Amino acid sequence: MGYKVAVVGATGNVGREMLDILAERQFPADEVVALASSRSIGTEVSYGDKILKCKHLDTFDFSDCDIALMSAGGAISKEWSPRIGAQNCVVIDNSSAWRYDSDVPLVVPEVNADALKDFGRKNIIANPNCSTAQLVVALKPLHDHFGIKRVVVSTYQSVSGAGKDAMDELFAQTRAVFVSDQVENKKFPKRIAFNLIPQIDVFMEDGFTKEEWKMMAETKKILDPKIKLTATCVRVPVFISHSESVNIECEKPITADAARKILREAPGILVIDKREPGGYITPHEAAGEDATYISRIREDATVENGLAFWCVSDNLRKGAALNAIQIAEALINRKLLRPKQKAA
């Protein structure tokens, strides 16, 4: 008997990606339901070779639903996730609403799938921030072997991380530049076309942005609370895929060759690292792919036991939709979740 899965926020970038990935991976679902807000009722979305019409979240009964993939924003998740969980339906939430709750596992399956055993406290599991997800996939095997003490990361994050309106703004601004029209900023504080914006989310009292704080807090919760991490997060004029320049300092001696070998054997990672023009991955090539790609692996002689590398991943997939579905798969594979018996 298969599972009944609801995708909440099915008309958004991540919601549509969730539906695509459920079909691609042949997730064991007997029924998939697309849910959205009142303004999107009846909107059609694709699920494999099927077309689903969106139903209204407010009137949907979750009592016979097994899994709710939630991608409707923090405010909706805060209101609805506890109500859905109370109906014995497991919520896998893509927002930041539950990531820092001590009773909610924050999970990247390649890194800390064991944390899933505690999901029953609230029937909610949190997906990490998109920039954190790919980072911890890359850090985990290196931390296991060499003991990472400190991480310095600079991100180059695509506009899709800010939603469909942000993607539309990059397109509209790029066109305006070429035809000499006025460039309008709506979603971003400054022009994004042919530019970089060193701010993602709001500023905090210490000068870091909320996005940078998320990476610090989430890496500690997922991987190791003793790791020290500092981040600078930058929005770049790329539609899909986040890139990161990562510098680590380890407790044990580390070489580029040893790191390369370990990363090649790690789950979820593909190493593309030739020291020649084009011998590395770019965001364009990573778009639509499941892997976290690692390139430019080299030793950093400025610190003891230092290493630098380049990390790229599709933020809509591993950074959001794919990770959520991998969590659901891990629940099933670990026999932590069985389908509810359908009423006769």
Side-chain angles (χ1 to χ4, degrees):
M1 184 178 291
Y3 294 81
K4 183 174 180 179
V5 180
V7 177
V8 184
T11 59
N13 282 344
V14 174
R16 290 176 187 270
E17 200 75 30
M18 286 174 168
L19 290 166
D20 287 345
I21 294 171
L22 284 168
E24 283 173 21
R25 294 172 74 91
Q26 298 181 326
F27 188 86
D30 280 352
E31 184 180 356
V32 174
V33 183
L35 300 177
S37 62
S38 56
R39 68 178 181 274
S40 297
I41 293 176
T43 299
E44 293 184 342
V45 291
S46 298
Y47 167 58
D49 57 3
K50 299 178 182 177
I51 298 297
L52 306 179
K53 287 192 174 183
C54 288
K55 299 180 179 180
H56 193 195
L57 170 62
D58 288 2
T59 57
F60 186 74
D61 180 7
F62 286 90
S63 62
D64 67 344
C65 195
D66 299 296
I67 300 167
L69 300 174
M70 177 79 67
S71 186
I76 297 294
S77 182
K78 273 289 187 186
E79 177 184 357
W80 278 94
S81 291
R83 292 158 66 175
I84 297 169
Q87 295 183 63
N88 202 28
C89 176
V90 180
V91 177
I92 303 173
D93 180 48
N94 193 56
S95 78
S96 61
W98 302 97
R99 291 174 187 159
Y100 318 109
D101 188 314
S102 59
D103 289 330
V104 175
L106 177 64
V107 175
V108 176
E110 298 95 328
V111 180
N112 67 330
D114 287 347
L116 289 171
K117 67 183 186 298
D118 298 323
F119 83 91
R121 293 175 183 172
K122 289 188 175 178
N123 271 346
I124 301 171
I125 302 164
N127 232 14
N129 189 39
C130 46
S131 53
T132 305
Q134 68 187 73
L135 178 66
V136 295
V137 168
L139 294 182
K140 167 66 172 173
L142 298 175
H143 185 52
D144 286 348
H145 284 82
F146 305 107
I148 297 173
K149 295 194 299 184
R150 182 172 183 256
V151 180
V152 180
V153 56
S154 297
T155 72
Y156 308 80
Q157 295 180 224
S158 66
V159 295
S160 57
K164 184 180 180 299
D165 289 345
M167 297 177 77
D168 291 344
E169 184 158 314
L170 172 58
F171 181 87
Q173 288 185 357
T174 302
R175 182 186 179 281
V177 169
F178 276 114
V179 300
S180 300
D181 280 352
Q182 183 176 352
V183 175
E184 295 184 2
N185 306 330
K186 296 178 181 177
K187 184 71 177 179
F188 296 112
K190 293 198 175 188
R191 172 178 136 176
I192 185 61
F194 305 99
N195 200 19
L196 305 175
I197 302 174
Q199 177 197 348
I200 300 178
D201 214 324
V202 297
F203 279 97
M204 304 179 72
E205 287 186 5
D206 59 4
F208 284 89
T209 65
K210 188 73 175 291
E211 184 83 357
E212 292 157 354
W213 176 85
K214 289 174 188 174
M215 292 192 75
M216 300 174 202
E218 292 171 20
T219 299
K220 288 176 179 291
K221 182 172 179 179
I222 295 168
L223 191 56
D224 189 336
K226 297 193 294 289
I227 290 178
K228 296 179 180 180
L229 185 145
T230 185
T232 300
C233 294
V234 182
R235 190 73 72 187
V236 297
V238 170
F239 283 107
I240 295 173
S241 298
H242 291 351
S243 305
E244 298 173 349
S245 172
V246 186
N247 186 289
I248 64 173
E249 183 180 354
C250 300
E251 295 171 357
K252 300 175 183 177
I254 184 171
T255 66
D257 286 342
R260 198 175 291 111
K261 182 177 186 296
I262 288 163
L263 289 167
R264 281 202 171 109
E265 295 171 353
I269 292 174
L270 280 176
V271 175
I272 308 292
D273 189 23
K274 298 179 181 178
R275 295 180 177 179
E276 60 186 42
Y280 40 78
I281 203 75
T282 65
H284 171 70
E285 295 157 301
E289 300 294 329
D290 289 346
T292 295
Y293 290 90
I294 309 293
S295 305
R296 301 291 322 280
I297 302 167
R298 65 235 188 249
E299 292 152 31
D300 178 7
T302 67
V303 294
E304 190 173 2
N305 306 329
L307 190 83
F309 60 88
W310 176 249
C311 175
V312 185
S313 190
D314 183 326
N315 57 293
L316 297 180
R317 292 180 76 90
K318 186 55 190 170
L322 173 65
N323 196 74
I325 291 161
Q326 286 176 316
I327 289 171
E329 291 171 344
L331 287 173
I332 295 167
N333 293 338
R334 289 168 175 252
K335 296 181 169 47
L336 295 171
L337 181 67
R338 300 185 185 278
K340 294 175 182 175
Q341 296 297 316
K342 306 289 190 295

PDB file of all heavy atoms in Angstrom, residues 127-157:
ATOM      1  N   ASN A 127      13.530  21.266   6.853  1.00  0.00           N
ATOM      2  CA  ASN A 127      14.525  21.319   5.789  1.00  0.00           C
ATOM      3  C   ASN A 127      15.449  22.506   6.076  1.00  0.00           C
ATOM      4  O   ASN A 127      14.962  23.580   6.431  1.00  0.00           O
ATOM      5  CB  ASN A 127      13.809  21.584   4.462  1.00  0.00           C
ATOM      6  CG  ASN A 127      14.167  20.607   3.376  1.00  0.00           C
ATOM      7  OD1 ASN A 127      14.751  19.571   3.636  1.00  0.00           O
ATOM      8  ND2 ASN A 127      13.824  20.945   2.148  1.00  0.00           N
ATOM      9  N   PRO A 128      16.750  22.374   5.902  1.00  0.00           N
ATOM     10  CA  PRO A 128      17.625  23.523   6.147  1.00  0.00           C
ATOM     11  C   PRO A 128      17.538  24.575   5.049  1.00  0.00           C
ATOM     12  O   PRO A 128      16.938  24.339   3.994  1.00  0.00           O
ATOM     13  CB  PRO A 128      19.021  22.907   6.186  1.00  0.00           C
ATOM     14  CG  PRO A 128      18.909  21.716   5.310  1.00  0.00           C
ATOM     15  CD  PRO A 128      17.512  21.189   5.508  1.00  0.00           C
ATOM     16  N   ASN A 129      18.155  25.703   5.303  1.00  0.00           N
ATOM     17  CA  ASN A 129      18.305  26.740   4.294  1.00  0.00           C
ATOM     18  C   ASN A 129      19.057  26.164   3.088  1.00  0.00           C
ATOM     19  O   ASN A 129      19.926  25.306   3.235  1.00  0.00           O
ATOM     20  CB  ASN A 129      19.078  27.905   4.910  1.00  0.00           C
ATOM     21  CG  ASN A 129      19.094  29.115   4.021  1.00  0.00           C
ATOM     22  OD1 ASN A 129      18.103  29.433   3.375  1.00  0.00           O
ATOM     23  ND2 ASN A 129      20.209  29.802   3.976  1.00  0.00           N
ATOM     24  N   CYS A 130      18.718  26.644   1.900  1.00  0.00           N
ATOM     25  CA  CYS A 130      19.308  26.081   0.679  1.00  0.00           C
ATOM     26  C   CYS A 130      20.828  26.178   0.660  1.00  0.00           C
ATOM     27  O   CYS A 130      21.518  25.240   0.237  1.00  0.00           O
ATOM     28  CB  CYS A 130      18.718  26.761  -0.555  1.00  0.00           C
ATOM     29  SG  CYS A 130      18.635  28.557  -0.473  1.00  0.00           S
ATOM     30  N   SER A 131      21.378  27.282   1.147  1.00  0.00           N
ATOM     31  CA  SER A 131      22.835  27.438   1.146  1.00  0.00           C
ATOM     32  C   SER A 131      23.501  26.533   2.178  1.00  0.00           C
ATOM     33  O   SER A 131      24.636  26.081   1.990  1.00  0.00           O
ATOM     34  CB  SER A 131      23.217  28.896   1.390  1.00  0.00           C
ATOM     35  OG  SER A 131      22.594  29.399   2.549  1.00  0.00           O
ATOM     36  N   THR A 132      22.779  26.227   3.252  1.00  0.00           N
ATOM     37  CA  THR A 132      23.317  25.322   4.276  1.00  0.00           C
ATOM     38  C   THR A 132      23.332  23.883   3.792  1.00  0.00           C
ATOM     39  O   THR A 132      24.281  23.138   4.058  1.00  0.00           O
ATOM     40  CB  THR A 132      22.484  25.405   5.565  1.00  0.00           C
ATOM     41  OG1 THR A 132      22.408  26.754   6.014  1.00  0.00           O
ATOM     42  CG2 THR A 132      23.076  24.535   6.664  1.00  0.00           C
ATOM     43  N   ALA A 133      22.290  23.469   3.081  1.00  0.00           N
ATOM     44  CA  ALA A 133      22.141  22.065   2.689  1.00  0.00           C
ATOM     45  C   ALA A 133      23.348  21.573   1.902  1.00  0.00           C
ATOM     46  O   ALA A 133      23.949  20.550   2.226  1.00  0.00           O
ATOM     47  CB  ALA A 133      20.858  21.876   1.885  1.00  0.00           C
ATOM     48  N   GLN A 134      23.729  22.316   0.866  1.00  0.00           N
ATOM     49  CA  GLN A 134      24.855  21.854   0.050  1.00  0.00           C
ATOM     50  C   GLN A 134      26.170  21.959   0.815  1.00  0.00           C
ATOM     51  O   GLN A 134      27.073  21.131   0.638  1.00  0.00           O
ATOM     52  CB  GLN A 134      24.930  22.649  -1.248  1.00  0.00           C
ATOM     53  CG  GLN A 134      25.311  24.124  -1.111  1.00  0.00           C
ATOM     54  CD  GLN A 134      25.183  24.861  -2.427  1.00  0.00           C
ATOM     55  OE1 GLN A 134      24.057  25.119  -2.874  1.00  0.00           O
ATOM     56  NE2 GLN A 134      26.286  25.220  -3.045  1.00  0.00           N
ATOM     57  N   LEU A 135      26.270  22.952   1.695  1.00  0.00           N
ATOM     58  CA  LEU A 135      27.505  23.116   2.465  1.00  0.00           C
ATOM     59  C   LEU A 135      27.742  21.927   3.385  1.00  0.00           C
ATOM     60  O   LEU A 135      28.853  21.375   3.427  1.00  0.00           O
ATOM     61  CB  LEU A 135      27.450  24.411   3.276  1.00  0.00           C
ATOM     62  CG  LEU A 135      28.673  24.674   4.172  1.00  0.00           C
ATOM     63  CD1 LEU A 135      29.922  24.912   3.335  1.00  0.00           C
ATOM     64  CD2 LEU A 135      28.411  25.854   5.104  1.00  0.00           C
ATOM     65  N   VAL A 136      26.719  21.512   4.138  1.00  0.00           N
ATOM     66  CA  VAL A 136      26.940  20.424   5.100  1.00  0.00           C
ATOM     67  C   VAL A 136      27.146  19.081   4.405  1.00  0.00           C
ATOM     68  O   VAL A 136      27.839  18.213   4.939  1.00  0.00           O
ATOM     69  CB  VAL A 136      25.808  20.344   6.154  1.00  0.00           C
ATOM     70  CG1 VAL A 136      25.791  21.595   7.021  1.00  0.00           C
ATOM     71  CG2 VAL A 136      24.453  20.105   5.513  1.00  0.00           C
ATOM     72  N   VAL A 137      26.563  18.902   3.208  1.00  0.00           N
ATOM     73  CA  VAL A 137      26.852  17.691   2.437  1.00  0.00           C
ATOM     74  C   VAL A 137      28.346  17.619   2.132  1.00  0.00           C
ATOM     75  O   VAL A 137      28.968  16.558   2.222  1.00  0.00           O
ATOM     76  CB  VAL A 137      26.015  17.655   1.135  1.00  0.00           C
ATOM     77  CG1 VAL A 137      26.526  16.563   0.186  1.00  0.00           C
ATOM     78  CG2 VAL A 137      24.546  17.416   1.450  1.00  0.00           C
ATOM     79  N   ALA A 138      28.938  18.763   1.779  1.00  0.00           N
ATOM     80  CA  ALA A 138      30.370  18.809   1.475  1.00  0.00           C
ATOM     81  C   ALA A 138      31.233  18.694   2.725  1.00  0.00           C
ATOM     82  O   ALA A 138      32.296  18.053   2.711  1.00  0.00           O
ATOM     83  CB  ALA A 138      30.695  20.105   0.737  1.00  0.00           C
ATOM     84  N   LEU A 139      30.794  19.287   3.830  1.00  0.00           N
ATOM     85  CA  LEU A 139      31.608  19.305   5.049  1.00  0.00           C
ATOM     86  C   LEU A 139      31.603  17.968   5.787  1.00  0.00           C
ATOM     87  O   LEU A 139      32.612  17.602   6.412  1.00  0.00           O
ATOM     88  CB  LEU A 139      31.111  20.395   6.002  1.00  0.00           C
ATOM     89  CG  LEU A 139      31.248  21.850   5.558  1.00  0.00           C
ATOM     90  CD1 LEU A 139      30.734  22.774   6.664  1.00  0.00           C
ATOM     91  CD2 LEU A 139      32.689  22.203   5.203  1.00  0.00           C
ATOM     92  N   LYS A 140      30.488  17.254   5.739  1.00  0.00           N
ATOM     93  CA  LYS A 140      30.333  16.041   6.554  1.00  0.00           C
ATOM     94  C   LYS A 140      31.481  15.037   6.389  1.00  0.00           C
ATOM     95  O   LYS A 140      32.100  14.634   7.395  1.00  0.00           O
ATOM     96  CB  LYS A 140      28.984  15.392   6.223  1.00  0.00           C
ATOM     97  CG  LYS A 140      28.782  13.972   6.746  1.00  0.00           C
ATOM     98  CD  LYS A 140      28.723  13.887   8.256  1.00  0.00           C
ATOM     99  CE  LYS A 140      28.333  12.476   8.678  1.00  0.00           C
ATOM    100  NZ  LYS A 140      28.419  12.300  10.144  1.00  0.00           N
ATOM    101  N   PRO A 141      31.812  14.585   5.176  1.00  0.00           N
ATOM    102  CA  PRO A 141      32.891  13.586   5.074  1.00  0.00           C
ATOM    103  C   PRO A 141      34.249  14.128   5.496  1.00  0.00           C
ATOM    104  O   PRO A 141      35.062  13.387   6.063  1.00  0.00           O
ATOM    105  CB  PRO A 141      32.880  13.200   3.586  1.00  0.00           C
ATOM    106  CG  PRO A 141      32.184  14.321   2.901  1.00  0.00           C
ATOM    107  CD  PRO A 141      31.199  14.867   3.877  1.00  0.00           C
ATOM    108  N   LEU A 142      34.482  15.409   5.263  1.00  0.00           N
ATOM    109  CA  LEU A 142      35.748  16.008   5.681  1.00  0.00           C
ATOM    110  C   LEU A 142      35.808  16.140   7.201  1.00  0.00           C
ATOM    111  O   LEU A 142      36.859  15.908   7.818  1.00  0.00           O
ATOM    112  CB  LEU A 142      35.919  17.382   5.018  1.00  0.00           C
ATOM    113  CG  LEU A 142      35.979  17.363   3.483  1.00  0.00           C
ATOM    114  CD1 LEU A 142      36.017  18.790   2.941  1.00  0.00           C
ATOM    115  CD2 LEU A 142      37.180  16.570   2.990  1.00  0.00           C
ATOM    116  N   HIS A 143      34.691  16.485   7.807  1.00  0.00           N
ATOM    117  CA  HIS A 143      34.649  16.596   9.268  1.00  0.00           C
ATOM    118  C   HIS A 143      34.866  15.235   9.925  1.00  0.00           C
ATOM    119  O   HIS A 143      35.575  15.113  10.929  1.00  0.00           O
ATOM    120  CB  HIS A 143      33.308  17.184   9.701  1.00  0.00           C
ATOM    121  CG  HIS A 143      33.204  17.445  11.180  1.00  0.00           C
ATOM    122  ND1 HIS A 143      34.141  18.174  11.885  1.00  0.00           N
ATOM    123  CD2 HIS A 143      32.258  17.065  12.082  1.00  0.00           C
ATOM    124  CE1 HIS A 143      33.775  18.237  13.153  1.00  0.00           C
ATOM    125  NE2 HIS A 143      32.650  17.567  13.301  1.00  0.00           N
ATOM    126  N   ASP A 144      34.280  14.196   9.353  1.00  0.00           N
ATOM    127  CA  ASP A 144      34.443  12.846   9.905  1.00  0.00           C
ATOM    128  C   ASP A 144      35.901  12.403   9.904  1.00  0.00           C
ATOM    129  O   ASP A 144      36.339  11.699  10.826  1.00  0.00           O
ATOM    130  CB  ASP A 144      33.606  11.842   9.099  1.00  0.00           C
ATOM    131  CG  ASP A 144      32.120  11.949   9.375  1.00  0.00           C
ATOM    132  OD1 ASP A 144      31.732  12.646  10.352  1.00  0.00           O
ATOM    133  OD2 ASP A 144      31.339  11.345   8.615  1.00  0.00           O
ATOM    134  N   HIS A 145      36.644  12.793   8.878  1.00  0.00           N
ATOM    135  CA  HIS A 145      38.025  12.332   8.745  1.00  0.00           C
ATOM    136  C   HIS A 145      39.049  13.268   9.376  1.00  0.00           C
ATOM    137  O   HIS A 145      40.068  12.818   9.898  1.00  0.00           O
ATOM    138  CB  HIS A 145      38.375  12.139   7.263  1.00  0.00           C
ATOM    139  CG  HIS A 145      37.800  10.896   6.674  1.00  0.00           C
ATOM    140  ND1 HIS A 145      36.492  10.814   6.218  1.00  0.00           N
ATOM    141  CD2 HIS A 145      38.340   9.661   6.472  1.00  0.00           C
ATOM    142  CE1 HIS A 145      36.258   9.601   5.754  1.00  0.00           C
ATOM    143  NE2 HIS A 145      37.359   8.876   5.893  1.00  0.00           N
ATOM    144  N   PHE A 146      38.794  14.571   9.305  1.00  0.00           N
ATOM    145  CA  PHE A 146      39.834  15.531   9.688  1.00  0.00           C
ATOM    146  C   PHE A 146      39.447  16.447  10.846  1.00  0.00           C
ATOM    147  O   PHE A 146      40.305  17.140  11.378  1.00  0.00           O
ATOM    148  CB  PHE A 146      40.233  16.390   8.475  1.00  0.00           C
ATOM    149  CG  PHE A 146      40.669  15.577   7.293  1.00  0.00           C
ATOM    150  CD1 PHE A 146      39.859  15.461   6.181  1.00  0.00           C
ATOM    151  CD2 PHE A 146      41.887  14.906   7.302  1.00  0.00           C
ATOM    152  CE1 PHE A 146      40.241  14.700   5.081  1.00  0.00           C
ATOM    153  CE2 PHE A 146      42.288  14.145   6.206  1.00  0.00           C
ATOM    154  CZ  PHE A 146      41.473  14.042   5.098  1.00  0.00           C
ATOM    155  N   GLY A 147      38.171  16.454  11.238  1.00  0.00           N
ATOM    156  CA  GLY A 147      37.730  17.293  12.354  1.00  0.00           C
ATOM    157  C   GLY A 147      37.792  18.775  12.016  1.00  0.00           C
ATOM    158  O   GLY A 147      38.785  19.449  12.300  1.00  0.00           O
ATOM    159  N   ILE A 148      36.734  19.296  11.435  1.00  0.00           N
ATOM    160  CA  ILE A 148      36.716  20.716  11.056  1.00  0.00           C
ATOM    161  C   ILE A 148      36.531  21.592  12.287  1.00  0.00           C
ATOM    162  O   ILE A 148      35.621  21.393  13.083  1.00  0.00           O
ATOM    163  CB  ILE A 148      35.596  20.987  10.030  1.00  0.00           C
ATOM    164  CG1 ILE A 148      35.862  20.219   8.739  1.00  0.00           C
ATOM    165  CG2 ILE A 148      35.478  22.482   9.739  1.00  0.00           C
ATOM    166  CD1 ILE A 148      34.728  20.285   7.731  1.00  0.00           C
ATOM    167  N   LYS A 149      37.415  22.572  12.421  1.00  0.00           N
ATOM    168  CA  LYS A 149      37.330  23.523  13.529  1.00  0.00           C
ATOM    169  C   LYS A 149      36.629  24.822  13.115  1.00  0.00           C
ATOM    170  O   LYS A 149      35.851  25.391  13.879  1.00  0.00           O
ATOM    171  CB  LYS A 149      38.732  23.882  14.032  1.00  0.00           C
ATOM    172  CG  LYS A 149      39.504  22.734  14.642  1.00  0.00           C
ATOM    173  CD  LYS A 149      40.720  23.235  15.417  1.00  0.00           C
ATOM    174  CE  LYS A 149      41.700  23.993  14.528  1.00  0.00           C
ATOM    175  NZ  LYS A 149      42.928  24.402  15.252  1.00  0.00           N
ATOM    176  N   ARG A 150      36.943  25.289  11.911  1.00  0.00           N
ATOM    177  CA  ARG A 150      36.458  26.608  11.485  1.00  0.00           C
ATOM    178  C   ARG A 150      36.157  26.590   9.996  1.00  0.00           C
ATOM    179  O   ARG A 150      36.853  25.956   9.212  1.00  0.00           O
ATOM    180  CB  ARG A 150      37.513  27.678  11.783  1.00  0.00           C
ATOM    181  CG  ARG A 150      37.107  29.101  11.418  1.00  0.00           C
ATOM    182  CD  ARG A 150      38.140  30.109  11.933  1.00  0.00           C
ATOM    183  NE  ARG A 150      37.748  31.479  11.662  1.00  0.00           N
ATOM    184  CZ  ARG A 150      38.278  32.230  10.698  1.00  0.00           C
ATOM    185  NH1 ARG A 150      39.256  31.737   9.933  1.00  0.00           N
ATOM    186  NH2 ARG A 150      37.870  33.471  10.491  1.00  0.00           N
ATOM    187  N   VAL A 151      35.080  27.287   9.630  1.00  0.00           N
ATOM    188  CA  VAL A 151      34.671  27.396   8.232  1.00  0.00           C
ATOM    189  C   VAL A 151      34.472  28.873   7.893  1.00  0.00           C
ATOM    190  O   VAL A 151      33.810  29.603   8.631  1.00  0.00           O
ATOM    191  CB  VAL A 151      33.342  26.642   7.967  1.00  0.00           C
ATOM    192  CG1 VAL A 151      32.942  26.762   6.496  1.00  0.00           C
ATOM    193  CG2 VAL A 151      33.451  25.189   8.389  1.00  0.00           C
ATOM    194  N   VAL A 152      35.039  29.292   6.782  1.00  0.00           N
ATOM    195  CA  VAL A 152      34.780  30.620   6.222  1.00  0.00           C
ATOM    196  C   VAL A 152      34.162  30.395   4.852  1.00  0.00           C
ATOM    197  O   VAL A 152      34.777  29.778   3.980  1.00  0.00           O
ATOM    198  CB  VAL A 152      36.073  31.454   6.087  1.00  0.00           C
ATOM    199  CG1 VAL A 152      35.750  32.827   5.491  1.00  0.00           C
ATOM    200  CG2 VAL A 152      36.756  31.607   7.435  1.00  0.00           C
ATOM    201  N   VAL A 153      32.927  30.857   4.661  1.00  0.00           N
ATOM    202  CA  VAL A 153      32.227  30.598   3.403  1.00  0.00           C
ATOM    203  C   VAL A 153      31.661  31.894   2.829  1.00  0.00           C
ATOM    204  O   VAL A 153      31.098  32.717   3.559  1.00  0.00           O
ATOM    205  CB  VAL A 153      31.101  29.540   3.596  1.00  0.00           C
ATOM    206  CG1 VAL A 153      30.115  29.962   4.672  1.00  0.00           C
ATOM    207  CG2 VAL A 153      30.389  29.268   2.284  1.00  0.00           C
ATOM    208  N   SER A 154      31.845  32.070   1.537  1.00  0.00           N
ATOM    209  CA  SER A 154      31.201  33.154   0.789  1.00  0.00           C
ATOM    210  C   SER A 154      30.271  32.516  -0.226  1.00  0.00           C
ATOM    211  O   SER A 154      30.692  31.625  -0.978  1.00  0.00           O
ATOM    212  CB  SER A 154      32.242  34.020   0.077  1.00  0.00           C
ATOM    213  OG  SER A 154      33.095  34.655   1.000  1.00  0.00           O
ATOM    214  N   THR A 155      29.025  32.935  -0.240  1.00  0.00           N
ATOM    215  CA  THR A 155      28.054  32.332  -1.146  1.00  0.00           C
ATOM    216  C   THR A 155      27.765  33.253  -2.330  1.00  0.00           C
ATOM    217  O   THR A 155      27.864  34.472  -2.234  1.00  0.00           O
ATOM    218  CB  THR A 155      26.723  32.011  -0.428  1.00  0.00           C
ATOM    219  OG1 THR A 155      26.033  33.249  -0.162  1.00  0.00           O
ATOM    220  CG2 THR A 155      26.957  31.254   0.862  1.00  0.00           C
ATOM    221  N   TYR A 156      27.396  32.626  -3.439  1.00  0.00           N
ATOM    222  CA  TYR A 156      26.993  33.319  -4.662  1.00  0.00           C
ATOM    223  C   TYR A 156      25.638  32.716  -5.037  1.00  0.00           C
ATOM    224  O   TYR A 156      25.568  31.732  -5.758  1.00  0.00           O
ATOM    225  CB  TYR A 156      28.031  33.090  -5.764  1.00  0.00           C
ATOM    226  CG  TYR A 156      29.451  33.409  -5.340  1.00  0.00           C
ATOM    227  CD1 TYR A 156      30.194  32.509  -4.580  1.00  0.00           C
ATOM    228  CD2 TYR A 156      30.047  34.622  -5.682  1.00  0.00           C
ATOM    229  CE1 TYR A 156      31.492  32.795  -4.171  1.00  0.00           C
ATOM    230  CE2 TYR A 156      31.357  34.921  -5.288  1.00  0.00           C
ATOM    231  CZ  TYR A 156      32.065  34.001  -4.535  1.00  0.00           C
ATOM    232  OH  TYR A 156      33.357  34.281  -4.127  1.00  0.00           O
ATOM    233  N   GLN A 157      24.572  33.337  -4.517  1.00  0.00           N
ATOM    234  CA  GLN A 157      23.261  32.689  -4.523  1.00  0.00           C
ATOM    235  C   GLN A 157      22.362  33.207  -5.643  1.00  0.00           C
ATOM    236  O   GLN A 157      22.217  34.408  -5.844  1.00  0.00           O
ATOM    237  CB  GLN A 157      22.590  32.860  -3.160  1.00  0.00           C
ATOM    238  CG  GLN A 157      23.351  32.152  -2.055  1.00  0.00           C
ATOM    239  CD  GLN A 157      22.731  32.294  -0.674  1.00  0.00           C
ATOM    240  OE1 GLN A 157      23.434  32.543   0.299  1.00  0.00           O
ATOM    241  NE2 GLN A 157      21.426  32.122  -0.562  1.00  0.00           N
TER     242      GLN A 157
END
